[in-house]
Amino acid sequence: MENIGNFLGACRELGVGESNLFSTVDLYEGKNMVQVVLTLYSLGGAVQVSEPNFAGPKLGIPMKANTRHDVKRPSGVVTQMGGYSSEIGRASC
């Protein structure tokens, strides 16, 4: 399981997004092999962008988004108004 964790860490460093990674259990127990294959295709696309001089075989579609420096957007206070911060005016009848 430690090698799987190391592989996932390398995928993150090469720019594969968290939503494209499988979980350790998916591979170790063989529960979600479809996600494992999708991770491999995402890794192939990330390598094509992060290492453009690589002359070996290519797998997947080059990733267009720069996910290596992806950061979480700042979030405000959650209210019952669903994000409306100003008062909603009443329509006159």
Side-chain angles (χ1 to χ4, degrees), residues 70-90:
D70 207 8
V71 294
K72 185 178 178 182
R73 293 181 288 162
S75 59
V77 178
V78 178
T79 65
Q80 290 181 334
M81 294 299 293
Y84 294 109
S85 60
S86 62
E87 191 173 319
I88 299 174
R90 292 185 179 198

Side-chain angles (χ1 to χ4, degrees), residues 29-87:
E29 296 180 4
K31 292 193 174 203
N32 191 359
M33 296 307 289
V34 172
Q35 186 61 41
V36 174
V37 171
L38 291 175
T39 299
L40 293 174
Y41 276 104
S42 296
L43 175 61
V47 167
Q48 290 179 47
V49 172
S50 64
E51 302 296 331
N53 295 329
F54 179 69
K58 297 182 179 0
L59 176 70
I61 300 171
M63 297 175 66
K64 295 180 181 175
N66 184 7
T67 57
R68 183 176 290 191
H69 302 291
D70 207 8
V71 294
K72 185 178 178 182
R73 293 181 288 162
S75 59
V77 178
V78 178
T79 65
Q80 290 181 334
M81 294 299 293
Y84 294 109
S85 60
S86 62
E87 191 173 319

Side-chain angles (χ1 to χ4, degrees), residues 1-10 12 24:
M1 287 181 63
E2 183 178 345
N3 285 338
I4 297 172
N6 292 336
F7 172 79
L8 293 173
R12 287 182 186 97
T24 304

